[in-house]
Amino acid sequence: MFENVNYNFYKTVLERSAIPDEATFNEYTIENKLFVKRLLDDGMLIEREKNGVDSAVCMMIEVDYITACEANGSVENGGAVSSETINGYSCSYDRSVAQESAKLNAKSIEAKKYKWLKLYCDILQGVR
């Protein structure tokens, strides 16, 4: 289980590049593995595609990384600029509202993760 949840699989097989390196990828791995393992152990998740669970977990890791970048205002992955120098003048922007909004937006993060699970696996509803 989770043999292919690694940076090499993410980069080569899934052909994704949002996460810049293996160390960053590994920061988000354990939480997503444990979440999906619980669904598998409860019999609520059935793999539909080859390596579907592993692919879904890799994409869930990407969701966590992009969300963290947006919350921190990282420019590389779509975050807004918090300060810059223009023709020798320093200009700062107040990003506190956007950062707080991103931190409080946990419901949509869960929806994004479930989107990937639903693409690669069948999710059974109800109590098991």
Side-chain angles (χ1 to χ4, degrees):
M1 187 181 313
F2 305 119
E3 296 86 22
N4 293 316
V5 178
N6 57 58
Y7 188 69
N8 186 46
F9 181 81
Y10 169 79
K11 192 94 169 149
T12 58
V13 176
L14 296 178
E15 298 179 356
R16 304 294 292 185
S17 62
I19 302 174
D21 55 53
E22 186 172 5
T24 305
F25 182 89
N26 291 337
E27 286 179 36
Y28 303 98
T29 302
I30 190 72
E31 181 180 329
N32 288 294
K33 280 182 178 179
L34 290 174
F35 177 75
V36 172
K37 183 179 182 319
R38 189 190 61 169
L39 292 175
L40 287 167
D41 290 347
D42 289 346
M44 297 182 70
L45 197 64
I46 299 171
E47 190 171 45
R48 186 176 27 187
E49 303 288 328
K50 181 180 179 193
N51 296 320
V53 170
D54 294 345
S55 298
V57 172
C58 287
M59 296 309 299
M60 291 166 63
I61 291 168
E62 183 178 281
V63 167
D64 283 344
Y65 174 73
I66 291 172
T67 302
C69 288
E70 289 170 352
N72 295 330
S74 175
V75 179
E76 301 90 47
N77 290 293
V81 175
S82 59
S83 65
E84 61 184 334
T85 302
I86 304 171
N87 294 331
Y89 294 96
S90 178
C91 182
S92 298
Y93 306 102
D94 182 9
R95 297 255 314 121
S96 58
V97 173
Q99 289 173 349
E100 191 61 29
S101 174
K103 288 178 186 174
L104 297 174
N105 203 3
K107 190 78 168 172
S108 68
I109 294 167
E110 184 178 336
K112 289 176 186 177
K113 288 182 176 187
Y114 269 105
K115 175 192 105 172
W116 289 110
L117 280 172
K118 289 176 185 175
L119 286 173
Y120 289 105
C121 304
D122 287 326
I123 301 174
L124 305 176
Q125 301 296 322
V127 179
R128 302 267 169 229

